[in-house]
Structure formats: structure tokens, C-alpha cells
Amino acid sequence: MDKKIHNVLFLCTCNSARSLIAESQPNALGKGRFKAYSAGSFPTDALDRMSIQHAVGSIGKS
């Protein structure tokens, strides 16, 4: 069995919502097989709170 931990990078422009949400998925669901990171090509200092709230609110609704 492969016990290697795979690094994953999610990159978007601002690193304020999409890449942060994407980063959380393999870290939470990957059963230790992944270590995800997020970054932005032009990062901002603030989160897009509406996007984060929508993503958190939609967990388990699919």
C-alpha cells in the first residue's frame, strides 16, 4: 500500500475563496494521503466571507 503523502497546490488569483475551499477538501477528506495548500497570484488580505459562508452552508447538502 502506498503511504506517500501527496502535496497538492490550488492556485487562484486572490486566494480569498475558491482555492481556500479547494484546499480544505483533500485535507479534510483525504485520510492523511494529501497535504493541500492554497495560494494566489495576487493575494488579498481578506477572505470573501460570502463565498466561504455559502461553501460551509452547503456541506452535506449534495
Side-chain angles (χ1 to χ4, degrees), residues 56-62:
V56 170
S58 66
I59 293 173
K61 292 184 180 179
S62 55

Side-chain angles (χ1 to χ4, degrees), residues 25-44:
Q25 299 303 303
N27 285 338
L29 304 173
K31 300 180 182 178
R33 295 176 293 162
F34 301 97
K35 177 60 183 149
Y37 302 90
S38 65
S41 54
F42 299 98
T44 62

Side-chain angles (χ1 to χ4, degrees), residues 7-29:
N7 291 311
V8 180
L9 174 63
F10 293 96
L11 180 64
C12 71
T13 307
C14 297
N15 196 33
S16 63
R18 292 172 296 206
S19 59
L20 294 169
I21 294 167
E23 173 190 358
S24 70
Q25 299 303 303
N27 285 338
L29 304 173

